[in-house]
Amino acid sequence: MSIKHLLGLQHLSVNTITQILDTAGPMKQIISRNLKKVPTLRGKAVATVFYEPSTRTRMSFELAAKYLSADTVGLAAASSSVVKGETLIDTARTVAAMGADVIVLRHPMAGAAELMTRYTDVHIVNAGDGMHEHPTQALLDMFTILELKNTISGLKVAILGDILHSRVARSNLWGLTKLGAEVHVAGPPTLLPVGLQQLGAHVHDCPEAALEGADVVIALRLQLERQRQGLIPSLREYTRLYGLNAERLALARDDAVVLHPGPMNRGVEITADVADGSRSLIAEQVTNGVAVRMACLYLLTVGDGGREDIN
Ligand code: CP
């Protein structure tokens, strides 16, 4: 792969996105086996450095590294020397000095992963930086869609909910439009950032317009921890006006599938019957997250050296 770091989908070429998605297929076969281990990354070390909570991303990167026989180490900022005042750059240098080949970083600041690339020589993977990007989530979403639909080009994808705070929405917007999908976003006007049209999205302030004839529906978590006063009238009204329920889902195509990056606020942005229904791919997304992250770790680290030092 011609990149050293995975920071986002904005600057990733279609070729590189396709290469990751193509590699995730064989990786999924590995994790479907009884013995889920191959020696591919033996001798490599992967460090997960998380300044925000995570279940899926952190565990799946750690499992992905282990299934490829890399050594893993995890740092949760809240129980590290970060609480004594150590900076992000010093933390990166410290982890790199211990011999990590890859740092997987989640941080509340947009651009934190890119900042790390300037101060260490190791591969940096962005596992979510503020409201900016979450590239591996979008890649696993695209892989999940591809498994069911065999193509992304020409699909109508509806992304619903808290677009403003969603790094998942941004990465998906970049990736899905690059692969030829028609992306429709919908949410309360207060949760629709300006400039979405310039990124290629069709923007709606009611979910029905986005859902009409959709092939894929991505419901987003209402990021309660990032809400400022007054962005939504009340949780009950948010659910009534913007939540994904069976009645709204009926507007999508009969063969439409439902995704959610997790964690879900059940009964807020998505009803339990839709989340657990026959069209839901939410559990499959989690499985695919391991396969896609195996593909990313593999492609970033095999044949180290001689790469373009870009995104
Ligand atoms: N989708 C996602 O990033 O989930 P976690 O916060 O649990 O990693």
Side-chain angles (χ1 to χ4, degrees):
M1 195 159 69
S2 63
I3 60 168
K4 178 169 180 178
H5 310 293
L6 179 58
L7 302 181
L9 296 195
Q10 181 178 4
H11 301 296
L12 222 54
S13 69
V14 171
N15 272 352
T16 303
I17 293 172
T18 305
Q19 190 182 10
I20 295 168
L21 297 175
D22 287 348
T23 307
M27 295 300 178
K28 189 164 181 185
Q29 285 173 15
I30 294 170
I31 59 175
S32 312
R33 293 183 200 156
N34 202 17
L35 290 175
K36 311 177 180 66
K37 202 149 179 114
V38 291
T40 316
L41 295 190
R42 188 181 289 155
K44 298 284 185 191
V46 175
T48 55
V49 176
F50 275 57
Y51 287 72
E52 286 183 339
S54 168
T55 298
R56 278 149 282 269
T57 312
R58 184 169 170 184
M59 288 186 71
S60 62
F61 263 114
E62 289 177 8
L63 281 172
K66 287 178 197 294
Y67 291 155
L68 293 171
S69 298
D71 293 308
T72 60
V73 63
L75 181 152
S79 57
S80 74
S81 288
V82 170
V83 295
K84 301 177 202 163
E86 190 159 47
T87 66
L88 176 67
I89 293 164
D90 283 339
T91 301
R93 285 175 169 152
T94 302
V95 176
M98 291 181 199
D101 298 285
V102 182
I103 296 177
V104 178
L105 175 71
R106 171 167 288 187
H107 198 280
M109 185 188 82
E114 194 277 332
L115 184 69
M116 265 199 178
T117 67
R118 296 190 231 157
Y119 293 92
T120 71
D121 197 30
V122 306
H123 302 282
I124 305 295
V125 178
N126 180 8
D129 60 334
M131 302 188 307
H132 180 222
E133 285 232 33
H134 191 350
T136 57
Q137 178 68 48
L139 288 163
L140 77 87
D141 291 345
M142 289 191 280
F143 181 77
T144 304
I145 295 167
L146 273 173
E147 277 193 320
L148 261 287
K149 303 285 183 190
N150 293 316
T151 182
I152 285 177
S153 181
L155 294 181
K156 178 176 178 179
V157 181
I159 305 180
L160 307 180
D162 185 355
I163 312 290
L164 175 68
H165 299 106
S166 180
R167 51 198 177 206
V168 176
R170 271 175 202 75
S171 288
N172 263 311
L173 196 45
W174 288 116
L176 288 165
T177 52
K178 281 181 193 203
L179 294 196
E182 189 183 287
V183 180
H184 291 248
V185 300
T190 48
L191 296 179
L192 292 171
V194 292
L196 287 168
Q197 285 95 341
Q198 285 75 10
L199 301 185
H202 301 255
V203 183
H204 310 276
D205 58 14
C206 72
E208 286 78 8
L211 284 164
E212 189 74 50
D215 299 282
V216 177
V217 182
I218 303 177
L220 296 174
R221 182 171 72 88
L222 180 63
Q223 299 199 24
L224 296 164
E225 74 279 20
R226 297 191 213 267
Q227 301 294 326
R228 296 189 308 275
Q229 194 102 29
L231 287 179
I232 55 168
S234 69
L235 273 187
R236 191 186 300 179
E237 276 175 302
Y238 180 84
T239 301
R240 186 170 62 79
L241 296 171
Y242 301 102
L244 182 62
N245 54 33
E247 191 184 346
R248 289 209 169 98
L249 183 58
L251 296 167
R253 285 173 54 99
D254 289 343
D255 60 352
V257 290
V258 174
L259 282 74
H260 189 301
M264 287 183 275
N265 298 305
R266 282 174 179 267
V268 178
E269 71 267 2
I270 188 166
T271 55
D273 60 328
V274 172
D276 301 329
S278 59
R279 303 211 226 168
S280 171
L281 298 178
I282 296 169
E284 203 60 30
Q285 284 175 274
V286 177
T287 304
N288 289 341
V290 181
V292 164
R293 286 163 180 139
M294 286 169 79
C296 293
L297 293 175
Y298 168 73
L299 290 169
L300 285 171
T301 56
V302 286
D304 268 342
R307 277 177 244 264
E308 256 180 286
D309 192 5
I310 56 164
N311 201 23

